[in-house]
Amino acid sequence: AQSVTQLGSHVSVSEGALVLLRCNYSSSVPPYLFWYVQYPNQGLQLLLKYTTGATLVKGINGFEAEFKKSETSFHLTKPSAHMSDAAEYFCAVSDPQTGANNLFFGTGTRLTVIP
Amino acid sequence: EAQVTQNPRYLITVTGKKLTVTCSQNMNHEYMSWYRQDPGLGLRQIYYSMNVEVTDKGDVPEGYKVSRKEKRNFPLILESPSPNQTSLYFCASKPGLASADTQYFGPGTRLTVL
């Protein structure tokens, strides 16, 4: 069974500071991993995903995430926060072995950027 | 422009009054899905469809119906809405049936049932 834990439902950072949003998963096999962003009054948009290959994945808007199998983690980072990064971020996982319909979402982390 | 559209974006209704939220994608995607988003619970899947005339239940299907008569459309039907169905609803689609495929989301429909 798949599950996703996002530590911290709310995270606040100052503009220009490091952004770190945490995601841990539970899976019997190495999963595919996704980060989605939801801006106010909009749908979800893919930031980045890990399927196979290099464990450090770069996404849009300067975000990146590293798949760490030993820690069952896929934390999202950005070196310098911008006001436009204020949004809700969702981590999601899918199991490569169980077919098409198996995307499981975490409960989300709302990022606030303080000027 | 490639996109998933939903209508209406906002809807206030009363208990028991049947409603339909439409979803359409112009990307020729095989797979479509409906989610509801509630505070502290993230997104939970309601129904999904892997092809025309093929639909199946997700995690929270009670009180909802769907149909997939055409590849591009996947309407969500609430036959007798209740206040616990007040939520933010998202339709999504993806190109194929692979687990690694990215899902593309519509802008959301905020439903209030009084």
Side-chain angles (χ1 to χ4, degrees), chain B residues 32-50:
Chain B
M32 297 185 75
S33 181
W34 276 102
Y35 295 88
R36 61 177 288 173
Q37 182 183 6
D38 300 290
L41 297 177
L43 277 78
R44 295 177 293 168
Q45 189 181 54
I46 303 170
Y47 270 94
Y48 65 96
S49 169
M50 294 196 187

Side-chain angles (χ1 to χ4, degrees), chain A residues 35-47 85-90 109-111, chain B residues 37 43 88 90 106-108 110:
Chain A
W35 274 101
Y36 282 86
V37 60
Q38 183 182 24
Y39 298 107
N41 299 314
Q42 295 186 27
L44 280 72
Q45 175 183 354
L46 182 73
L47 268 180
D85 295 327
E88 189 153 21
Y89 293 79
F90 292 93
T109 298
R110 184 169 298 279
L111 177 66
Chain B
Q37 182 183 6
L43 277 78
L88 180 57
F90 288 102
R110 186 168 293 281

Side-chain angles (χ1 to χ4, degrees), chain B residues 1 7 29-31 33 36 38 60 68 74 83-84 93 99:
Chain B
E1 179 188 355
N7 282 292
H29 284 176
E30 297 286 335
Y31 177 97
S33 181
R36 61 177 288 173
D38 300 290
V60 289
R68 186 100 181 267
F74 190 45
N84 64 11
S93 70
S99 299

Side-chain angles (χ1 to χ4, degrees), chain B residues 61-105:
Chain B
E62 293 77 21
Y64 305 95
K65 286 176 56 177
V66 293
S67 69
R68 186 100 181 267
K69 294 183 171 55
E70 306 164 281
K71 195 172 187 179
R72 63 183 294 128
N73 296 324
F74 190 45
L76 179 69
I77 303 157
L78 284 71
E79 296 269 2
S80 182
S82 63
N84 64 11
Q85 293 179 298
T86 293
S87 188
L88 180 57
Y89 292 86
F90 288 102
C91 181
S93 70
K94 64 178 183 176
L97 304 183
S99 299
D101 283 350
T102 299
Q103 290 199 31
Y104 296 84
F105 285 80

Side-chain angles (χ1 to χ4, degrees), chain B residues 4-33:
Chain B
V4 178
T5 57
Q6 296 178 225
N7 282 292
R9 293 288 313 277
Y10 302 90
L11 179 60
I12 300 174
T13 189
V14 295
T15 299
K17 186 176 181 181
K18 181 180 179 179
L19 66 91
T20 299
V21 183
T22 64
C23 173
S24 183
Q25 49 92 7
N26 62 1
M27 298 171 279
N28 200 37
H29 284 176
E30 297 286 335
Y31 177 97
M32 297 185 75
S33 181

Side-chain angles (χ1 to χ4, degrees), chain A residues 60-87:
Chain A
I60 61 172
N61 301 337
F63 284 93
E64 62 183 36
E66 186 171 11
F67 169 54
K68 292 187 177 181
K69 183 179 176 182
S70 61
E71 298 177 8
T72 61
S73 69
F74 191 56
H75 302 331
L76 182 70
T77 61
K78 181 174 180 178
S80 177
H82 191 273
M83 295 298 294
S84 61
D85 295 327

